Amino acid sequence: MLVGYMRVSSADDRQSVDLQRDALIAAGVDERHLHHDKASGAKDDRHGLMRCLDDLRAGDCLVVWKLDRLGRSLIHLLTLVEDLKKRGVAFRSLTEQMDTTTPHGELLFSIFGALAQFERALTRERVMAGLAAAKRRGRRGGRPQAIDDEKLQQIIAALESGASKASVCRAFGVARSTLGGALGRSRYQTSLDMGAHS
Protein backbone atom coordinates (compact mmCIF):
# COMPACT_ATOMS: atom_id res chain seq x y z
CA MET A 1 0.00 0.00 0.00
CA LEU A 2 1.16 3.55 -0.78
CA VAL A 3 0.86 6.04 2.09
CA GLY A 4 1.40 9.74 1.39
CA TYR A 5 2.68 12.55 3.60
CA MET A 6 2.32 16.27 2.81
CA ARG A 7 3.47 19.36 4.68
CA VAL A 8 3.34 23.11 4.29
CA SER A 9 5.49 25.19 6.60
CA SER A 10 2.80 27.55 7.85
CA ALA A 11 -0.67 27.36 9.31
CA ASP A 12 -1.45 30.33 7.04
CA ASP A 13 -4.47 29.56 4.82
CA ARG A 14 -2.59 30.99 1.81
CA GLN A 15 -0.34 27.92 1.84
CA SER A 16 -2.01 24.80 0.55
CA VAL A 17 -1.12 21.13 0.15
CA ASP A 18 -3.09 20.93 -3.13
CA LEU A 19 0.01 20.67 -5.34
CA GLN A 20 1.42 17.88 -3.19
CA ARG A 21 -1.97 16.12 -2.97
CA ASP A 22 -2.38 16.13 -6.76
CA ALA A 23 1.15 14.74 -7.28
CA LEU A 24 0.71 11.99 -4.69
CA ILE A 25 -2.69 10.92 -6.04
CA ALA A 26 -1.24 10.88 -9.59
CA ALA A 27 1.53 8.60 -8.24
CA GLY A 28 -1.10 6.11 -7.06
CA VAL A 29 -1.64 7.08 -3.40
CA ASP A 30 -5.26 6.55 -2.34
CA GLU A 31 -6.73 9.76 -0.89
CA ARG A 32 -7.77 7.82 2.23
CA HIS A 33 -4.07 7.21 2.98
CA LEU A 34 -2.90 10.83 2.82
CA HIS A 35 -1.60 12.61 5.92
CA HIS A 36 -0.60 16.24 6.23
CA ASP A 37 0.74 18.91 8.56
CA LYS A 38 0.70 22.68 8.55
CA ALA A 39 3.84 23.15 10.58
CA SER A 40 7.52 23.95 10.36
CA GLY A 41 9.72 21.03 9.33
CA ALA A 42 11.86 21.79 12.40
CA LYS A 43 9.06 20.70 14.73
CA ASP A 44 9.42 17.27 16.33
CA ASP A 45 5.76 16.90 17.29
CA ARG A 46 4.09 16.93 13.89
CA HIS A 47 0.79 15.10 14.49
CA GLY A 48 0.18 14.32 10.82
CA LEU A 49 3.61 12.73 10.51
CA MET A 50 3.05 10.67 13.67
CA ARG A 51 -0.28 9.38 12.31
CA CYS A 52 1.37 8.67 8.95
CA LEU A 53 4.17 6.63 10.55
CA ASP A 54 1.61 4.72 12.65
CA ASP A 55 -0.38 3.95 9.50
CA LEU A 56 2.57 2.24 7.78
CA ARG A 57 2.97 -1.55 7.82
CA ALA A 58 5.68 -3.88 6.49
CA GLY A 59 5.46 -3.96 2.69
CA ASP A 60 4.00 -0.42 2.47
CA CYS A 61 5.72 2.54 0.82
CA LEU A 62 5.80 6.10 2.21
CA VAL A 63 5.55 8.62 -0.63
CA VAL A 64 6.36 12.34 -0.41
CA TRP A 65 6.32 15.04 -3.06
CA LYS A 66 9.77 16.33 -2.05
CA LEU A 67 12.43 15.28 0.50
CA ASP A 68 12.21 18.50 2.50
CA ARG A 69 8.53 17.84 3.21
CA LEU A 70 9.53 14.93 5.46
CA GLY A 71 12.80 15.66 7.28
CA ARG A 72 13.90 18.78 9.15
CA SER A 73 17.54 18.03 8.22
CA LEU A 74 19.52 15.47 6.27
CA ILE A 75 20.31 13.57 9.47
CA HIS A 76 16.63 13.58 10.56
CA LEU A 77 15.52 12.40 7.11
CA LEU A 78 18.06 9.56 7.08
CA THR A 79 17.03 8.48 10.60
CA LEU A 80 13.37 8.35 9.54
CA VAL A 81 14.14 6.35 6.40
CA GLU A 82 16.42 3.96 8.31
CA ASP A 83 13.60 3.37 10.84
CA LEU A 84 11.19 2.69 7.98
CA LYS A 85 13.67 0.25 6.42
CA LYS A 86 13.93 -1.69 9.70
CA ARG A 87 10.13 -1.97 9.70
CA GLY A 88 10.12 -3.25 6.10
CA VAL A 89 8.65 0.01 4.73
CA ALA A 90 9.97 1.54 1.49
CA PHE A 91 10.35 5.27 0.80
CA ARG A 92 9.81 7.28 -2.37
CA SER A 93 10.30 10.99 -3.12
CA LEU A 94 8.65 12.09 -6.36
CA THR A 95 10.58 15.29 -7.11
CA GLU A 96 14.03 13.78 -6.56
CA GLN A 97 12.91 10.49 -8.18
CA MET A 98 14.29 8.58 -5.22
CA ASP A 99 12.92 5.14 -4.45
CA THR A 100 14.48 2.82 -1.86
CA THR A 101 12.97 -0.21 -3.58
CA THR A 102 15.45 0.28 -6.46
CA PRO A 103 19.26 -0.21 -6.41
CA HIS A 104 19.64 3.41 -7.56
CA GLY A 105 17.59 4.67 -4.58
CA GLU A 106 19.55 2.50 -2.14
CA LEU A 107 22.82 3.89 -3.52
CA LEU A 108 21.63 7.49 -3.14
CA PHE A 109 20.67 6.88 0.48
CA SER A 110 24.04 5.29 1.17
CA ILE A 111 25.69 8.44 -0.22
CA PHE A 112 23.38 10.64 1.88
CA GLY A 113 24.29 8.57 4.95
CA ALA A 114 28.00 9.11 4.32
CA LEU A 115 27.42 12.86 3.87
CA ALA A 116 25.43 13.04 7.12
CA GLN A 117 28.22 11.23 8.97
CA PHE A 118 30.73 13.69 7.48
CA GLU A 119 28.52 16.62 8.56
CA ARG A 120 28.35 15.27 12.15
CA ALA A 121 32.16 14.87 12.24
CA LEU A 122 32.67 18.45 10.98
CA THR A 123 30.22 19.81 13.56
CA ARG A 124 31.99 17.94 16.36
CA GLU A 125 35.37 19.22 15.08
CA ARG A 126 34.10 22.83 15.01
CA VAL A 127 32.71 22.55 18.55
CA MET A 128 35.97 21.14 19.89
CA ALA A 129 38.01 23.84 18.10
CA GLY A 130 35.71 26.54 19.52
CA LEU A 131 36.05 25.18 23.07
CA ALA A 132 39.85 24.99 22.73
CA ALA A 133 39.99 28.59 21.45
CA ALA A 134 37.78 29.78 24.32
CA LYS A 135 39.95 27.92 26.84
CA ARG A 136 43.09 29.60 25.46
CA ARG A 137 41.40 32.97 26.06
CA GLY A 138 40.61 31.99 29.63
CA ARG A 139 36.92 31.29 29.13
CA ARG A 140 35.36 28.08 30.36
CA GLY A 141 32.55 26.17 28.68
CA GLY A 142 29.40 25.03 30.43
CA ARG A 143 26.58 26.87 32.11
CA PRO A 144 27.10 30.41 33.43
CA GLN A 145 27.64 30.80 37.18
CA ALA A 146 24.38 30.85 39.14
CA ILE A 147 26.02 32.97 41.86
CA ASP A 148 28.50 35.66 40.81
CA ASP A 149 31.76 36.18 42.73
CA GLU A 150 30.58 39.30 44.55
CA LYS A 151 27.42 37.64 45.85
CA LEU A 152 29.40 34.52 46.78
CA GLN A 153 31.82 36.61 48.87
CA GLN A 154 28.86 38.18 50.70
CA ILE A 155 27.37 34.72 51.32
CA ILE A 156 30.67 33.38 52.66
CA ALA A 157 31.06 36.41 54.93
CA ALA A 158 27.56 35.73 56.32
CA LEU A 159 28.36 32.03 56.84
CA GLU A 160 31.68 32.83 58.56
CA SER A 161 29.88 35.20 60.91
CA GLY A 162 27.61 32.36 62.02
CA ALA A 163 24.58 32.51 59.71
CA SER A 164 23.05 29.15 58.79
CA LYS A 165 22.97 27.95 55.19
CA ALA A 166 19.16 27.94 55.25
CA SER A 167 18.99 31.60 56.33
CA VAL A 168 21.61 32.58 53.75
CA CYS A 169 19.64 30.82 51.00
CA ARG A 170 16.49 32.74 52.00
CA ALA A 171 18.29 36.08 52.30
CA PHE A 172 20.11 35.82 48.96
CA GLY A 173 17.34 34.01 47.08
CA VAL A 174 19.37 30.95 46.07
CA ALA A 175 18.54 27.27 46.19
CA ARG A 176 20.35 25.11 48.73
CA SER A 177 21.76 22.86 45.97
CA THR A 178 22.99 25.92 44.04
CA LEU A 179 24.71 27.28 47.14
CA GLY A 180 26.32 23.90 47.85
CA GLY A 181 27.66 23.69 44.30
CA ALA A 182 29.01 27.25 44.36
CA LEU A 183 30.72 26.72 47.72
CA GLY A 184 32.18 23.42 46.54
CA ARG A 185 33.76 25.12 43.52
CA SER A 186 35.02 28.12 45.48
CA ARG A 187 38.38 28.55 47.13
CA TYR A 188 36.51 29.56 50.31
CA GLN A 189 35.22 26.03 50.91
CA THR A 190 38.49 24.90 52.47
CA SER A 191 38.50 27.68 55.03
CA LEU A 192 34.82 27.05 55.83
CA ASP A 193 35.48 23.34 56.32
CA MET A 194 38.47 24.07 58.51
CA GLY A 195 36.38 26.46 60.58
CA ALA A 196 33.64 23.85 60.95
CA HIS A 197 36.11 21.30 62.35
CA SER A 198 37.95 23.65 64.71
Side-chain angles (χ1 to χ4, degrees), residues 33 48 131:
H33 300 294
L131 289 172

Side-chain angles (χ1 to χ4, degrees), residues 153-187:
Q153 287 174 14
Q154 293 170 355
I155 288 171
I156 287 173
L159 290 169
E160 287 175 340
S161 65
S164 70
K165 285 187 179 178
S167 65
V168 165
C169 288
R170 282 194 300 275
F172 287 90
V174 296
R176 183 84 182 237
S177 58
T178 303
L179 176 61
L183 290 174
R185 286 187 299 274
S186 82
R187 60 186 175 185

Side-chain angles (χ1 to χ4, degrees), residues 53 56-62 70 77-92 99-103 105-111:
L53 295 174
L56 291 159
R57 300 289 175 265
D60 290 347
C61 181
L62 172 60
L70 182 63
L77 177 66
L78 287 165
T79 303
L80 280 173
V81 174
E82 275 301 313
D83 288 344
L84 293 174
K85 192 176 176 182
K86 286 174 190 166
R87 293 170 52 190
V89 176
F91 173 72
R92 187 187 305 165
D99 186 344
T100 61
T101 62
T102 68
E106 280 289 333
L107 174 63
L108 276 176
F109 261 93
S110 297
I111 294 168

Side-chain angles (χ1 to χ4, degrees), residues 143-156:
R143 293 191 310 193
Q145 284 183 302
I147 304 174
D148 63 38
D149 289 339
E150 186 180 342
K151 186 189 270 191
L152 186 58
Q153 287 174 14
Q154 293 170 355
I155 288 171
I156 287 173

